[in-house]
Amino acid sequence: DAKTTQPNSMESNEEEPVHLPCNHSTISGTDYIHWYRQLPSQGPEYVIHGLTSNVNNRMASLAIAEDRKSSTLILHRATLRDAAVYYCILTTSGTYKYIFGTGTRLKVLA
Amino acid sequence: GAVVSQHPSRVICKSGTSVKIECRSLDFQATTMFWYRQFPKKSLMLMATSNEGSKATYEQGVEKDKFLINHASLTLSTLTVTSAHPEDSSFYICSATTGQGNNSPLHFGNGTRLTVT
């Protein structure tokens, strides 16, 4: 399974944009990049996913590098409610598994 | 849409007893469901993949006789922890997809915190 690497933790000020990076240098052509976040004592929540093109939805934007070896989740205006662990995962068409890495713990400062 | 309900949210049981956790997709049909386990301050660990009407596929190191998974319908999967012991205490989370293939987002239940005394 292709692996992702994320910083263990990041901090952001409230109402400022946050860029959460993810490296996936061994990604293959058919792997999708998914992002989920998990608040304490809850199940993860789907945020966004994409293959090659940048993606936008009401929660966030996903910027995918041209070589697809990295991606960035962008929260346009961080709020206190965005404090969570953010997971970047690759989903492989062959094995159809969703393997979670260690994630990035985002702290939002008021 | 795409709501997954997991029940119970918390359960305390005595060592040696069995516990059943239910995972339901409320507003969609879930061809595939996944079961995860999570220890405090750790990431989610995939336990098994469950397809409706067929046997679950377990990850390496997960005892299939210990963690019985049944996916009898397109909206219900169950995880039974048999003969539970204190080391089985953990946060168990189910998830389901609305479609097939790796282009489908996962939708998660809110987890079940199991404590075995």
Side-chain angles (χ1 to χ4, degrees):
Chain A
D1 300 311
K3 186 178 169 57
T4 62
T5 305
Q6 298 177 254
N8 287 333
S9 63
M10 291 183 65
E11 283 189 0
S12 172
N13 293 319
E14 198 177 11
E15 298 190 5
E16 289 188 358
V18 182
H19 291 231
L20 296 163
C22 181
N23 287 319
H24 28 78
S25 58
T26 60
I27 191 171
S28 69
T30 55
D31 290 349
Y32 276 81
I33 303 158
H34 287 238
W35 283 83
Y36 295 83
R37 70 180 186 182
Q38 186 179 24
L39 278 66
S41 299
Q42 294 187 24
E45 174 186 29
Y46 166 75
V47 178
I48 202 166
H49 77 289
L51 183 63
T52 56
S53 303
N54 294 344
V55 185
N56 299 297
N57 67 19
R58 65 176 179 80
M59 288 182 71
S61 296
L62 174 60
I64 301 172
E66 199 168 331
D67 64 5
R68 299 207 330 123
K69 294 187 176 182
S70 66
S71 61
T72 302
L73 179 70
I74 303 165
L75 306 179
H76 296 286
R77 283 183 73 211
T79 69
L80 296 177
R81 293 177 59 184
D82 291 323
V85 178
Y86 287 78
Y87 295 99
C88 163
I89 67 173
L90 302 181
T91 59
T92 302
S93 60
T95 60
Y96 189 36
K97 290 184 183 180
Y98 294 70
I99 306 296
F100 282 71
T102 53
T104 297
R105 185 173 297 276
L106 175 66
K107 186 175 181 180
V108 180
L109 306 174
Chain B
V3 177
V4 174
S5 173
Q6 189 173 340
H7 179 81
S9 57
R10 288 181 180 273
V11 58
I12 300 172
C13 71
K14 292 187 176 179
S15 190
T17 61
S18 295
V19 173
K20 180 184 280 189
I21 302 169
E22 289 190 351
C23 180
R24 293 181 184 273
S25 56
L26 297 187
D27 51 2
F28 66 98
Q29 294 188 329
T31 311
T32 304
M33 288 186 171
F34 301 87
W35 286 94
Y36 292 86
R37 181 175 183 177
Q38 186 174 35
F39 291 105
K41 304 290 186 185
K42 300 294 185 182
S43 183
L44 284 75
M45 182 188 78
L46 180 64
M47 298 176 67
T49 303
S50 167
N51 291 297
E52 184 263 339
S54 61
K55 290 184 179 179
T57 302
Y58 290 81
E59 293 300 300
Q60 193 172 7
V62 178
E63 300 176 58
K64 60 181 179 182
D65 294 331
K66 173 79 171 169
F67 300 100
L68 299 179
I69 292 172
N70 183 277
H71 192 163
S73 78
L74 284 172
T75 59
L76 174 65
S77 177
T78 60
L79 167 68
T80 301
V81 183
T82 62
S83 186
H85 291 284
E87 58 266 29
D88 299 323
S89 298
S90 192
F91 192 48
Y92 293 89
I93 311 169
C94 73
S95 64
T97 63
T98 54
Q100 293 190 349
N102 61 334
N103 186 21
S104 301
L106 278 185
H107 301 281
F108 288 84
N110 268 333
T112 297
R113 189 162 303 282
L114 171 64
T115 303
V116 185
T117 60

